[in-house]
Amino acid sequence: DTEVTQTPKHLVMGMTNKKSLKCEQHMGHRAMYWYKQKAKKPPELMFVYSYEKLSINESVPSRFSPECPNSSLLNLHLHALQPEDSALYLCASSQGPPVPSSGGNNEQFFGPGTRLTVL
Amino acid sequence: RKEVEQDPGPFNVPEGATVAFNCTYSNSASQSFFWYRQDCRKEPKLLMSVYSSGNEDGRFTAQLNRASQYISLLIRDSKLSDSATYLCVVNLEGVETSYDKVIFGPGTSLSVIP
């Protein structure tokens, strides 16, 4: 199974709503990531979880709250978002450092994303 | 200087053409390198990893020059289905931190025209 799944595919929410994005992988990967992508721009890293611990928070506003319940699941809790937060939110996973001794390059595998619209 | 830079594009090429994308990175301690492709409104998909010795996968050839901090992707015999945005990706895994830090280039758009 080389798939990363994300739910929901689309989400429309008001600025006062609370919602959650979910991500799941069953590849035994130890690193999981949240990215935000605006149109015609590359993905921007938001958070990295490595071995279920938050390793990177790229100065993301507190209205975004990540959670890693276990090594296969990653959530992103949303509260009091702004219209400019509308974007494609991508989850990814990788084996995590160090680089595998068997070779390979710690490639990241992406989920299909959640297209979020904040009204 | 941006951490990862790519040809600005867009590239519009006829079917069957050969097209080359270039990418440069600023952190000489970068550990691993990739090319991803992203179709409109879809997620990025790994096209190929880039190894120091260079590697080929069918019509696609990737090269890495660590001394020049330069990565390239060559596509031969372009197909209509190659139309996408190509993203150069650099991983600083374990260099400054104990975790992966992945940096995306801005992407180069390719349109293959019949």
Side-chain angles (χ1 to χ4, degrees), chain A residues 31 33 35 37 42-43 45 48 50 55-56 58 88 90 94 96-97 99 104-112 115, chain B residues 31-34 36 38 41-46 49-51 87 91 93-94 98-102 104-107:
Chain A
Y33 312 78
Y35 290 88
Q37 187 175 26
L45 185 64
V48 179
S50 184
S55 301
I56 300 180
E58 291 282 5
L88 179 68
L90 293 160
S94 70
V99 175
N105 247 351
N106 258 337
E107 299 89 343
Q108 292 196 1
F109 295 89
F110 284 82
R115 194 159 294 280
Chain B
Q31 295 291 304
S32 51
F33 311 89
F34 311 90
Y36 281 75
Q38 186 169 25
R41 302 182 71 81
K42 298 281 190 182
E43 76 273 23
K45 289 192 187 295
L46 179 68
S49 298
V50 187
Y51 298 104
L87 297 157
N91 191 343
E93 70 214 22
S98 61
Y99 41 79
D100 290 335
K101 183 171 181 182
V102 170
F104 281 78

Side-chain angles (χ1 to χ4, degrees), chain B residues 38-112:
Chain B
Q38 186 169 25
D39 293 283
C40 188
R41 302 182 71 81
K42 298 281 190 182
E43 76 273 23
K45 289 192 187 295
L46 179 68
L47 180 65
M48 52 199 307
S49 298
V50 187
Y51 298 104
S52 297
S53 54
N55 45 302
E56 189 174 307
D57 182 3
R59 298 181 293 109
F60 299 85
T61 300
Q63 298 279 349
L64 168 64
N65 185 322
R66 284 187 184 269
S68 303
Q69 295 177 209
Y70 167 85
I71 307 156
S72 66
L73 176 68
L74 186 76
I75 305 176
R76 289 180 299 278
D77 188 24
S78 301
K79 311 288 185 196
L80 296 176
S81 57
D82 294 333
S83 298
T85 296
Y86 289 81
L87 297 157
C88 176
V89 178
V90 171
N91 191 343
L92 294 171
E93 70 214 22
V95 172
E96 299 160 350
T97 63
S98 61
Y99 41 79
D100 290 335
K101 183 171 181 182
V102 170
I103 303 165
F104 281 78
T108 302
S109 173
L110 171 66
S111 292
V112 181

Side-chain angles (χ1 to χ4, degrees), chain A residues 9-25:
Chain A
K9 286 189 177 171
H10 300 275
L11 178 62
V12 180
M13 61 187 288
M15 289 191 283
T16 57
N17 292 158
K18 283 185 183 181
K19 297 285 184 184
S20 296
L21 309 185
K22 297 186 183 302
C23 174
E24 189 167 3
Q25 58 88 13

Side-chain angles (χ1 to χ4, degrees), chain A residues 4-9 22-24 34 89-91 111-114:
Chain A
V4 178
T5 59
Q6 287 187 246
T7 56
K9 286 189 177 171
K22 297 186 183 302
C23 174
E24 189 167 3
W34 280 115
Y89 287 84
L90 293 160
C91 174
T114 294

